[in-house]
Amino acid sequence: HLSTGSMAEHESLEYGKADFVLLDNVSMEEFMTNLKLRFEKGRIYTYIGEVVVSVNPYRAMNIYGRDIVEQYKGRELYERPPHLFAIADAAYKAMKRRNKDTCIVISGESGAGKTEASKYIMQYIAAITNPNQRAEVERVKNMLLKSNCVLEAFGNAKTNRNDNSSRFGKYMDINFDFKGDPIGGHISNYLLEKVKANYRRLLRGAPDSLLRSLHIKKDPTAYNYIKVGGQIKVSSINDGADFKAVADAMKVIGFTGDEIQTVYKILATILHLGNLTFGVDGDVTLIENTKLVSVIRELLSTKEENVEKALLYRTVATGRDVIEKQHTAQEASYGRDALAKAMYERLFCWIVGRINDIIEVKNYDARVHGKNTVIGVLDIYGFEIFQNNSFEQFCINYCNEKLQQLFIQLVLKQEQEEYQREGIPWKHIDYFNNQIIVDLVEQQHKGIFSVLDEACMNVGKVTDEVFLQGLNGKLAKHAHYTSRKLSPTDKSLEFDRDFRIRHYAGDVVYSVVGFIDKNKDTLFQDFKRLLYNSSNPVLKAMWPEGKLSITEVTKRPLTAATLFKNSMILLVENLACKEPYYVRCIKPNDVKSPLLFEQERCRHQVEYLGLLENVRVRRAGFAYRQTYPRFLQRYKMISEFTWPNHDLPSDKDAVKRLMQGCGFDHDVAYGKTKVFIRTPRTLFSLEEQRASLITIHFHDVVLCLQVWRGTIARMRYRRMRAALVILRAYRRYKVKSYIREVNRRFKNVRSMKDYGKHVKWPTPPKVLSLFVCLFDVFTSRWWAWTLIKGLSPEEALQVRAKVASLEALKGQRADLGLQRAWEGNYLVNSADTAASFTLVSSELQRKDKFMRVLFSCNVRKVINRFHKAEDRAVLITDRHLYKMDPLKQYKPMKSIPLYNVTGVSVSPGKDQLVVFHTKDSRDLVVCLQGMVPANESRIGELVGTLLSHFKR
């Protein structure tokens, strides 16, 4: 577990002690003085070891930005000034490094800033995970943060103490994969007060069109359920923006349009129910404002007669008979209120369930994905003492007793374990053990919850006074319980109404009025059937038990007290198996002033949060502890034996020598890995010595460092200069060696048969790689020029034609005929055709004045105007393309000027097909034939010759 450390490095004592464990004397006066000083200096967070005490500043604080997140990310708890982010990071590190499930318990009274603290903690965890910004991880984070917004809207209410008071407890598990990225979550809710929702947001924030469809007015005074409990104050919250934020959050989470509409309809129905009034006409109970019944029918998507019947009658099964029993006006009012409460509770639980469906981890297999770890965040109602304390305050204060008991047990356990690990003797600490109060409330058969349940199950008229009599009978001798009957002279208690419990936080007087009704909270089966038979599928799904027929026997539902007790026991069991971290929230005043620190108000909270108890337990005789290496790192300059480094066998011996030299050996205990200092005075004395010596040592160190830096710089310069000299000499050697090798290899290339084409270049050094590439190009050109300069004009023409053919057809046709001599005028060289062709050729030369025959060959004209293939011949000169008839002594049939030929197409196959394209689009399509040998390809020659001619 992390250790308490001195914060003097980061915050001077003008801001007070950053850790209450370092107080000189553990007393309420010193505690309050330090708390007030830090609040007035703008330091709202203070440690008690690893507990953060947070005072609500009632103003925006610029201490939650990205830059602050970076300051706390990955740092130890004591390395930075106290902050919520330090606790969040400690919990995240414990989870990620040690694979431990952790939880952060946030407690304090209404308005102390618990919900804001939980939001900042979640915001921090979201900011430090997932550097790759993966979409799925971002989705989960967004869902967790948005769910906060929705739950606040439905679980918070405006109270006398707080504009946005949590009327529910919330425990949220955030699941992480083995890499430490959030992959899902789960929310558990502990709703106490029903029909306490923030209806103001709906009335003043919703658009007019929505309010009209719900038959709702903007005026809050028009609704009885809102008016109950005092006057309506002007809010400091922007309701329009809040309404839009909640609606948007619900869409982002994944609520459908129909689901959101149903939520609005249920809230509107509850408001209308509050305005229903009942009257009597003789023996008949009537609804006085019947128009509201049709409005409620429309909102619930059910029949008007069914709504009226459920409100005025109760169906009772006696054996096989079914009787409709009419309510009295009082019973009808009770049933109406029970329906409103049940609808709100069911709506809230349904919202939590829908959020859980969406955010919970899906398809996670530990064998495949690694261990799934959890950080839990508990934001739950704080201890409450009002003028009139009822069933809700009793449950809230019982919850705080349970959590305080767990808190003290875990802190004590951690302290004892650390002392045991370090081999330090454990000193017994006196503290208030509130197990006796927990038993007073939850013990089987004897506890207050059991007495309450027994009273509710009695046959006949059950009243709150009967319940109080049961308490007086069972708990008369209990040291922490009293009532007016047991203390007749105590005039602060009313007869047959009040009882008092001595909590760990002080005495609280509870009024039993309403305990029985709130505990039973029974809803007539008629209402369940009414809602189940709605044509709205979302509403219908909320009331599955409504499908039971009237004659089906159902078990008695568990009471509110039993349900709450069971949920608290489960919560404590869940928290006990995790590594806990705590945030204790304090409300400095009741007027939301950023400047006012009400001493008595804060003192009371410090008492009931058990903070002084916590300091005593954390001190346990030792105000400070630290590992030996870290202690030495901070204080080694104090002793000549440890500065700048020690030569003792271990760090523990070095710390002993340092403390002996300072004369503090009597105030220290040495554990196996840590040093324990008894009084804060010793620690502050060490800090003062360190501060006075650090300036002297710092000057010496700086001087020494400057000299050493100069020496290192000179040594580095000499090494670099020597390396450069060696590098240049080596480079010259490599270049010279290479040039000698090139000279040797290419010395006799002129006398070689292929002029050195087979000679390979040696591998060049890197410095010459570019030069060698260029020189290789020059050599290739010299080699080509040497070959070409010995050619005759005819040979040169043929070479140019072959190059042109290669450039055009390389990779297109397999055989270009490059290996043979290109004759060009094949008809004049054929014995069969030479005489007649020569005669025609001479005549054409005389007539058309051409200079040279480029190509001639027998061809097969592929198609004529009669769709027949025929034997023909082509003659290509430097001026014309002639088509001839070989059967008529090569008589010219068609003459095309060569400038009218726009292109030639050939195929990539082995065929000899050629298409001559002309300007008039009367293309000539022929297939070369009459080759000797028969498989000789002349396509490459024809294309190369034409290209070479046109290039010239």
Side-chain angles (χ1 to χ4, degrees):
H1 215 68
L2 298 168
S3 302
T4 304
S6 167
M7 303 304 295
E9 182 179 1
H10 314 289
E11 292 188 332
S12 69
L13 289 176
E14 69 173 291
Y15 299 113
K17 308 278 174 60
D19 193 328
F20 286 112
V21 172
L22 300 178
L23 291 174
D24 291 330
N25 299 305
V26 183
S27 66
M28 181 58 79
E29 286 64 37
E30 280 219 22
F31 191 100
M32 293 304 298
T33 303
N34 193 55
L35 188 68
K36 184 181 180 188
L37 174 62
R38 289 185 64 75
F39 174 74
E40 288 169 350
K41 294 282 187 181
R43 298 300 190 267
I44 62 169
Y45 298 121
T46 314
Y47 288 136
I48 302 177
E50 287 130 29
V51 175
V52 171
V53 178
S54 166
V55 183
N56 193 337
Y58 287 123
R59 61 191 168 98
M61 303 282 285
N62 188 25
I63 54 170
Y64 305 104
R66 185 78 223 185
D67 53 332
I68 306 293
V69 169
E70 289 303 319
Q71 287 178 32
Y72 285 85
K73 187 177 176 182
R75 305 302 288 260
E76 296 299 340
L77 201 67
Y78 46 81
E79 289 185 275
R80 286 276 179 264
H83 201 294
L84 280 176
F85 289 172
I87 277 284
D89 197 77
Y92 181 73
K93 280 204 299 282
M95 181 272 298
K96 193 171 179 183
R97 289 180 187 170
R98 305 205 299 279
N99 218 17
K100 282 205 168 187
D101 287 346
T102 58
C103 63
I104 300 171
V105 180
I106 306 167
S107 57
E109 72 167 51
S110 175
K114 299 185 299 299
T115 303
E116 283 300 303
S118 74
K119 281 198 276 190
Y120 284 129
I121 285 168
M122 283 186 54
Q123 186 181 307
Y124 179 82
I125 291 169
I128 63 169
T129 54
N130 179 39
N132 302 323
Q133 298 292 307
R134 287 201 313 280
E136 175 60 15
V137 177
E138 285 304 304
R139 184 188 76 83
V140 170
K141 284 184 202 169
N142 203 22
M143 291 291 181
L144 293 173
L145 293 171
K146 292 288 183 191
S147 68
N148 239 355
C149 171
V150 175
L151 291 175
E152 270 185 39
F154 292 94
N156 291 8
K158 188 176 175 60
T159 64
N160 291 333
R161 293 191 174 186
N162 188 1
D163 266 351
N164 202 34
S165 170
S166 295
R167 307 321 293 156
F168 76 110
K170 178 180 83 238
Y171 176 74
M172 179 180 284
D173 268 336
I174 308 170
N175 297 81
F176 295 82
D177 62 15
F178 72 98
K179 302 187 301 302
D181 285 337
I183 52 171
H186 184 85
I187 297 165
S188 302
N189 68 292
Y190 309 99
L191 181 68
L192 267 180
E193 295 180 69
K194 298 141 194 175
V195 202
K196 279 265 186 165
N198 223 327
Y199 292 108
R200 183 190 66 241
R201 285 180 182 166
L202 177 65
L203 298 182
R204 293 179 178 165
D208 292 340
S209 57
L210 175 62
L211 293 178
R212 276 197 301 274
S213 71
L214 301 173
H215 306 282
I216 292 286
K217 299 173 188 172
K218 273 192 182 291
D219 179 15
T221 59
Y223 298 98
N224 293 330
Y225 279 155
I226 301 180
K227 284 193 287 186
V228 170
Q231 63 180 37
I232 295 168
K233 294 188 285 186
V234 175
S235 168
S236 61
I237 296 173
N238 184 334
D239 297 309
D242 278 358
F243 180 87
K244 187 175 186 312
V246 173
D248 291 345
M250 289 178 81
K251 284 177 193 165
V252 169
I253 290 168
F255 285 84
T256 65
D258 287 345
E259 287 174 337
I260 294 171
Q261 276 302 116
T262 302
V263 168
Y264 296 148
K265 285 177 180 177
I266 291 171
L267 293 176
T269 301
I270 293 168
L271 286 177
H272 290 309
L273 279 171
N275 285 2
L276 275 179
T277 52
F278 301 95
V280 180
D281 183 4
D283 294 335
V284 181
T285 307
L286 301 168
I287 297 170
E288 292 179 334
N289 37 4
T290 51
K291 281 186 181 177
L292 280 181
V293 177
S294 63
V295 171
I296 291 167
R297 176 211 64 77
E298 181 191 324
L299 293 172
L300 294 180
S301 305
T302 185
K303 294 178 182 174
E304 193 167 327
E305 58 268 26
N306 291 358
V307 175
E308 196 167 329
K309 190 175 173 185
L311 287 164
L312 295 175
Y313 293 89
R314 180 183 177 192
T315 312
V316 181
T318 56
R320 292 184 181 177
D321 298 325
V322 176
I323 301 166
E324 285 186 354
K325 180 176 176 290
Q326 188 176 32
H327 291 315
T328 63
Q330 189 179 357
E331 285 170 341
S333 297
Y334 174 82
R336 173 203 64 200
D337 293 344
L339 173 62
K341 289 179 182 180
M343 284 181 75
Y344 186 77
E345 180 187 28
R346 194 63 62 98
L347 171 65
F348 188 81
C349 294
W350 175 83
I351 287 170
V352 172
R354 283 289 289 117
I355 292 171
N356 281 336
D357 289 343
I358 293 160
I359 67 173
E360 71 183 357
V361 181
K362 297 176 181 71
N363 306 321
Y364 196 93
D365 186 345
R367 291 170 300 180
V368 178
H369 303 108
K371 185 175 182 289
N372 172 347
T373 45
V374 164
I375 293 180
V377 179
L378 177 67
D379 164 15
I380 202 155
Y381 14 65
F383 204 87
E384 290 188 344
I385 306 176
F386 297 147
Q387 283 294 105
N388 179 33
N389 300 294
S390 187
F391 180 70
E392 290 83 11
Q393 283 68 46
F394 181 74
C395 289
I396 283 174
N397 294 344
Y398 156 67
C399 161
N400 278 271
E401 290 283 359
K402 289 283 286 183
L403 292 175
Q404 177 68 7
Q405 178 202 18
L406 176 71
F407 172 58
I408 294 294
Q409 279 178 351
L410 289 174
V411 171
L412 271 174
K413 183 180 164 198
Q414 285 167 0
E415 288 293 296
Q416 281 180 315
E417 282 175 357
E418 179 159 44
Y419 277 52
Q420 202 172 347
R421 274 198 309 273
E422 294 294 326
I424 304 288
W426 174 254
K427 177 187 170 187
H428 177 71
I429 302 154
D430 286 326
Y431 69 96
F432 179 73
N433 187 342
N434 56 347
Q435 182 63 48
I436 189 169
I437 303 169
V438 172
D439 289 342
L440 168 67
V441 177
E442 70 178 24
Q443 198 173 11
Q444 289 287 345
H445 309 302
K446 292 182 185 177
I448 293 173
F449 279 157
S450 290
V451 176
L452 181 59
D453 285 353
E454 277 175 34
C456 290
M457 282 189 277
N458 283 344
V459 179
K461 184 115 175 109
V462 180
T463 62
D464 295 316
E465 290 76 17
V466 171
F467 161 57
L468 186 57
Q469 286 164 17
L471 288 181
N472 290 336
K474 290 257 177 102
L475 304 171
K477 294 180 181 176
H478 200 289
H480 289 265
Y481 172 87
T482 190
S483 68
R484 186 67 185 268
K485 186 179 179 183
L486 302 177
S487 305
T489 57
D490 191 340
K491 292 185 180 178
S492 64
L493 299 169
E494 282 279 334
F495 276 113
D496 296 331
R497 191 191 77 182
D498 296 342
F499 67 92
R500 182 167 54 227
I501 290 179
R502 186 179 300 161
H503 287 281
Y504 77 91
D507 293 355
V508 183
V509 175
Y510 297 99
S511 165
V512 294
V513 176
F515 263 63
I516 294 288
D517 283 350
K518 288 171 181 174
N519 189 44
K520 278 165 58 177
D521 209 13
T522 50
L523 182 69
F524 301 136
Q525 190 71 22
D526 302 69
F527 289 127
K528 294 177 184 176
R529 277 196 299 280
L530 171 73
L531 297 168
Y532 176 74
N533 290 319
S534 166
S535 60
N536 181 336
V538 179
L539 183 60
K540 183 185 178 88
M542 290 185 198
W543 296 92
E545 67 269 48
K547 69 180 176 185
L548 294 173
S549 71
I550 189 65
T551 53
E552 288 183 79
V553 180
T554 55
K555 276 199 281 185
R556 184 191 293 270
L558 292 175
T559 62
T562 302
L563 287 170
F564 190 74
K565 180 182 78 173
N566 293 346
S567 67
M568 282 301 109
I569 291 168
L570 279 174
L571 172 65
V572 167
E573 284 174 1
N574 187 3
L575 295 177
C577 65
K578 293 179 170 62
E579 188 165 302
Y581 296 83
Y582 294 93
V583 179
R584 302 304 213 188
C585 299
I586 290 176
K587 183 178 183 178
N589 58 72
D590 285 325
V591 292
K592 302 182 178 66
S593 164
L595 305 172
L596 184 62
F597 186 90
E598 291 179 0
Q599 194 83 10
E600 276 310 304
R601 189 86 181 73
C602 296
R603 184 192 184 102
H604 178 60
Q605 293 172 73
V606 168
E607 282 174 352
Y608 76 61
L609 285 170
L611 299 185
L612 216 57
E613 223 91 47
N614 186 5
V615 176
R616 289 196 186 100
V617 169
R618 194 69 183 80
R619 283 273 281 256
F622 295 100
Y624 174 87
R625 68 212 60 181
Q626 186 56 275
T627 57
Y628 293 120
R630 282 190 178 274
F631 186 86
L632 273 178
Q633 187 182 338
R634 184 157 185 80
Y635 300 112
K636 62 182 179 179
M637 70 282 298
I638 292 173
S639 171
E640 60 185 15
F641 297 106
T642 53
W643 176 259
N645 290 302
H646 70 85
D647 55 0
L648 293 159
S650 68
D651 287 345
K652 183 176 179 179
D653 294 323
V655 171
K656 277 185 180 177
R657 181 64 65 88
L658 187 152
M659 297 306 276
Q660 285 164 0
C662 295
F664 297 139
D665 206 32
H666 64 283
D667 202 35
V668 177
Y670 301 101
K672 292 174 184 172
T673 63
K674 291 179 181 178
V675 58
F676 289 73
I677 297 176
R678 192 165 277 105
T679 60
R681 183 49 45 209
T682 298
L683 186 67
F684 292 131
S685 180
L686 285 170
E687 281 293 327
E688 285 164 10
Q689 288 186 50
R690 178 181 180 275
S692 63
L693 286 168
I694 200 163
T695 309
I696 301 163
H697 285 312
F698 186 69
H699 181 266
D700 293 344
V701 167
V702 168
L703 196 63
C704 183
L705 282 174
Q706 287 291 72
V707 172
W708 180 238
R709 281 176 65 195
T711 305
I712 288 173
R714 282 189 290 276
M715 286 165 62
R716 188 180 295 143
Y717 170 73
R718 282 197 291 271
R719 277 201 302 272
M720 285 172 68
R721 189 176 176 188
L724 196 61
V725 170
I726 293 166
L727 189 66
R728 284 175 179 164
Y730 181 69
R731 188 181 288 170
R732 279 198 299 273
Y733 160 74
K734 292 289 282 183
V735 169
K736 283 180 180 177
S737 301
Y738 180 74
I739 290 170
R740 277 198 293 271
E741 180 60 20
V742 169
N743 191 39
R744 186 187 66 77
R745 292 192 186 190
F746 288 90
K747 194 173 183 182
N748 300 313
V749 290
R750 290 177 189 276
S751 57
M752 293 176 187
K753 190 176 179 183
D754 64 351
Y755 297 105
K757 179 130 174 71
H758 70 284
V759 177
K760 285 189 177 178
W761 285 81
T763 306
K766 277 188 180 177
V767 71
L768 290 178
S769 53
L770 181 61
F771 165 75
V772 169
C773 289
L774 293 171
F775 208 71
D776 191 28
V777 173
F778 297 148
T779 309
S780 299
R781 288 185 177 178
W782 171 84
W783 178 80
W785 177 78
T786 306
L787 286 177
I788 290 169
K789 72 175 182 178
L791 298 175
S792 66
E794 282 298 318
E795 287 173 330
L797 278 174
Q798 199 171 120
V799 167
R800 284 199 176 90
K802 286 184 175 181
V803 169
S805 176
L806 190 66
E807 285 176 348
L809 299 177
K810 186 179 182 183
Q812 304 292 327
R813 286 182 69 94
D815 182 14
L816 299 179
L818 299 177
Q819 306 305 320
R820 63 179 179 79
W822 287 1
E823 295 177 21
N825 196 353
Y826 287 98
L827 293 178
V828 87
N829 293 331
S830 170
D832 302 336
T833 61
S836 54
F837 176 75
T838 304
L839 192 64
V840 172
S841 176
S842 299
E843 180 61 26
L844 287 172
Q845 187 173 21
R846 183 184 62 74
K847 187 177 119 189
D848 292 339
K849 307 288 190 294
F850 66 77
M851 301 293 294
R852 191 164 67 86
V853 174
L854 299 180
F855 186 81
S856 68
C857 183
N858 284 316
V859 297
R860 181 92 168 154
K861 188 181 178 193
V862 173
I863 204 158
N864 66 5
R865 59 187 168 177
F866 304 111
H867 305 291
K868 289 181 181 177
E870 294 174 322
D871 287 335
R872 293 285 183 264
V874 292
L875 167 64
I876 304 172
T877 70
D878 54 7
R879 300 192 68 173
H880 288 82
L881 164 62
Y882 300 99
K883 182 174 76 172
M884 299 174 166
D885 189 348
L887 300 176
K888 295 180 180 178
Q889 279 77 42
Y890 290 96
K891 179 185 174 184
M893 299 176 72
K894 185 177 183 182
S895 169
I896 303 169
L898 213 53
Y899 56 75
N900 277 349
V901 177
T902 58
V904 175
S905 291
V906 297
S907 78
K910 290 184 179 179
D911 57 67
Q912 303 278 313
L913 190 72
V914 184
V915 180
F916 294 97
H917 302 288
T918 60
K919 283 182 182 175
D920 58 4
S921 299
R922 297 176 67 185
D923 297 352
L924 178 62
V925 184
V926 298
C927 195
L928 306 187
Q929 65 178 10
M931 275 75 76
V932 180
N935 63 349
E936 182 179 275
S937 174
R938 292 181 184 169
I939 290 292
E941 183 177 353
L942 171 60
V943 171
T945 303
L946 279 171
L947 282 173
S948 178
H949 172 72
F950 274 98
K951 277 183 182 175
R952 286 203 310 281

